[in-house]
Amino acid sequence: MAALLDINTVFTAIDKLGKVGDVRLDLIKKKYEPAADYGFFGPGSMTWKVWTYPSSALMGFMRAVTIEQLDPNLNASVEASGGVRARTRTRYERTMRYFALVAVGETASATKASDILVKVHSKGIGIDPVTGSRYDSNSPESQLWIHMTAWHSILYCYEIFGPGKLTEEEETQYWAECAIAAECQTINPDDVPRSREAVIEFFESWRPRLAASALAQSMTRMILHPELAMPQDLPDITGPIMSLIGRFVASATISTYPQYMRQMFGIQQSAVEDKVVQTAMRALMTAVNSNMHLYDAVWSWLVPGTAPIMMPAVLGIPAVSEVTMTPREAQKLYGYDIPAEAHMDLRRKQEERVFGSHEAPSDEGLIESEAFFGGIKGVATV
């Protein structure tokens, strides 16, 4: 107990020390334009509270995208696209930008991005080599798996590396907001778990379907080198430092995996290392979160295209309008079909190309996506 109190005292001291440096915030705020509105959730929501914590961009994201690989259909789609291996840096920021738009972005941009994503996913179809079945990135089932791994991982890493668990009332609100966010995808919101117990049951129900194929293990090992997703224009001399940082972040992420997933991935890490790295990372996240100058520096360096979306929410910059609305309300207002019914002609054309003519799917939607998710070109890393 004494050791625990000492650790908590350290975290409190770090937090206070950080706030001493939290002066002249107006200099940071001037860097960012206010959002047009407060998006789907707004200040006071659990989404803003949890998703803006600095662990979301590191361990939360990495945990989600590695666990996702255990779905053979998803892994087949990711491998077929080639983006994660060939354009690790740009794929990371494009995905982070979409997550940020849904979590804290203004409704017009987030709704447009959601619509474009259906087009992008229309090319994510084919035959899964592990199961021999067809995969479809727009499948509601596949999208629900992605959605739940993301929202659960972000919350779990907030608990481990941040302030700890939400209250029961706050967590109920968090999962209710998770269901609202599902309206941005092809998911039926009624299928989204709305409690911790239901989320646990959801993941348990998926266990018989998970498979750690050689490709899934290879992809996971690559993602667990986060230095590949960091800015690539650094001097060569920083290479060893980036590798050390990458190992630290990866170890912290691994410490959150349940044992059965570690066995599937073929990863070993002791309970002692888990505890040490969690304590160290929690101290670091406390320091970053308690000093907005440091927070802004980290986000601006790590995901510069996402910082203009995330930082106004973090800094409390008032939006032009205090309006919030659900994705369904926004889709109706801005004239978009709901994702499950969107771009059916394009999706049918892609199916005909792939399964009928045995051709590669077209890249329709990818170019349009660059305005919202960032460029798709990058330097091959693997």
Side-chain angles (χ1 to χ4, degrees):
M1 179 63 73
L4 180 60
L5 290 175
D6 289 341
I7 290 173
N8 287 333
T9 299
V10 170
F11 290 148
T12 300
I14 291 172
D15 185 61
K16 289 181 178 179
L17 183 62
K19 285 182 169 57
V20 170
D22 230 355
V23 295
R24 300 298 302 274
L25 285 184
D26 56 313
L27 296 178
I28 303 177
K29 291 180 178 181
K30 287 180 180 178
K31 292 172 55 179
Y32 301 106
E33 295 293 328
D37 56 41
Y38 280 134
F40 301 135
F41 305 106
S45 67
M46 290 303 102
T47 300
W48 280 37
K49 179 176 182 176
V50 173
W51 280 73
T52 60
Y53 200 77
S55 58
S56 64
L58 295 169
M59 290 72 65
F61 177 86
M62 186 180 297
R63 185 182 194 274
V65 297
T66 49
I67 290 176
E68 286 174 2
Q69 303 305 316
L70 292 174
D71 172 18
N73 284 352
L74 181 140
N75 177 253
S77 178
V78 171
E79 290 287 359
S81 75
V84 174
R85 292 188 186 274
R87 302 182 300 275
T88 309
R89 168 65 184 164
T90 53
R91 183 63 181 264
Y92 168 62
E93 181 148 18
R94 280 167 61 85
T95 305
M96 279 298 302
R97 186 175 173 86
Y98 176 75
F99 280 156
L101 280 168
V102 173
V104 303
E106 59 192 31
T107 57
S109 295
T111 308
K112 176 66 173 178
S114 170
D115 184 72
I116 293 174
L117 191 63
V118 175
K119 292 184 181 181
V120 174
H121 281 164
S122 72
K123 72 188 300 291
I125 55 176
I127 301 297
D128 166 20
V130 174
T131 65
S133 62
R134 290 187 179 187
Y135 64 82
D136 180 352
S137 294
N138 275 318
S139 160
E141 194 172 48
S142 178
Q143 286 292 299
L144 182 59
W145 168 251
I146 295 169
H147 186 68
M148 293 311 301
T149 55
W151 279 73
H152 175 260
S153 292
I154 296 297
L155 176 60
Y156 190 56
C157 287
Y158 174 89
E159 294 174 349
I160 298 297
F161 305 113
K165 289 186 176 182
L166 302 176
T167 67
E168 184 176 349
E169 181 179 357
E170 287 176 332
E171 185 167 349
T172 298
Q173 181 181 340
Y174 180 82
W175 293 120
E177 292 170 5
C178 172
I180 291 172
E183 295 177 355
C184 291
Q185 295 165 253
T186 57
I187 302 165
N188 180 348
D190 292 339
D191 294 335
V192 179
R194 285 171 167 77
S195 69
R196 180 176 290 260
E197 294 73 23
V199 171
I200 292 173
E201 290 178 6
F202 171 82
F203 284 109
E204 283 298 311
S205 73
W206 267 79
R207 283 187 66 170
R209 304 164 58 179
L210 303 181
S213 65
L215 284 174
Q217 290 183 337
S218 171
M219 178 65 73
T220 298
R221 286 194 295 270
M222 195 211 75
I223 296 172
L224 287 172
H225 282 278
E227 65 272 18
L228 297 177
M230 294 178 185
Q232 301 297 298
D233 56 351
L234 300 174
D236 291 342
I237 195 173
T238 64
I241 298 174
M242 292 298 101
S243 294
L244 286 174
I245 293 174
R247 175 56 187 163
F248 179 40
V249 174
S251 294
T253 303
I254 292 168
S255 76
T256 69
Y257 293 155
Q259 287 299 323
Y260 79 89
M261 286 188 179
R262 299 188 197 196
Q263 293 172 3
M264 294 183 75
F265 286 135
I267 294 173
Q268 294 183 344
Q269 184 166 287
S270 70
V272 172
E273 185 174 353
D274 286 351
K275 186 63 177 178
V276 170
V277 75
Q278 285 180 3
T279 301
M281 185 60 79
R282 184 183 169 201
L284 178 60
M285 293 296 99
T286 300
V288 172
N289 192 63
S290 63
N291 187 307
M292 289 297 100
H293 295 277
L294 181 57
Y295 194 120
D296 178 60
V298 170
W299 274 85
S300 297
W301 175 74
L302 188 63
V303 279
T306 305
I309 301 169
M310 186 66 74
M311 290 308 299
V314 173
L315 294 168
I317 299 175
V320 175
S321 168
E322 295 184 356
V323 167
T324 62
M325 65 184 83
T326 68
R328 286 289 184 266
E329 291 170 337
Q331 288 152 8
K332 182 177 181 180
L333 175 65
Y334 300 122
Y336 295 103
D337 292 329
I338 66 172
E341 300 172 1
H343 307 295
M344 296 306 296
D345 287 344
L346 173 61
R347 292 160 70 177
R348 281 190 288 267
K349 289 178 182 177
Q350 296 284 40
E351 288 182 3
E352 176 56 33
R353 285 179 64 95
V354 174
F355 301 119
S357 303
H358 303 290
E359 298 175 346
S362 73
D363 288 337
E364 188 170 345
L366 281 178
I367 302 302
E368 186 180 4
S369 74
E370 291 189 282
F372 290 86
F373 306 145
I376 60 175
K377 295 181 179 180
V379 179
T381 56
V382 175

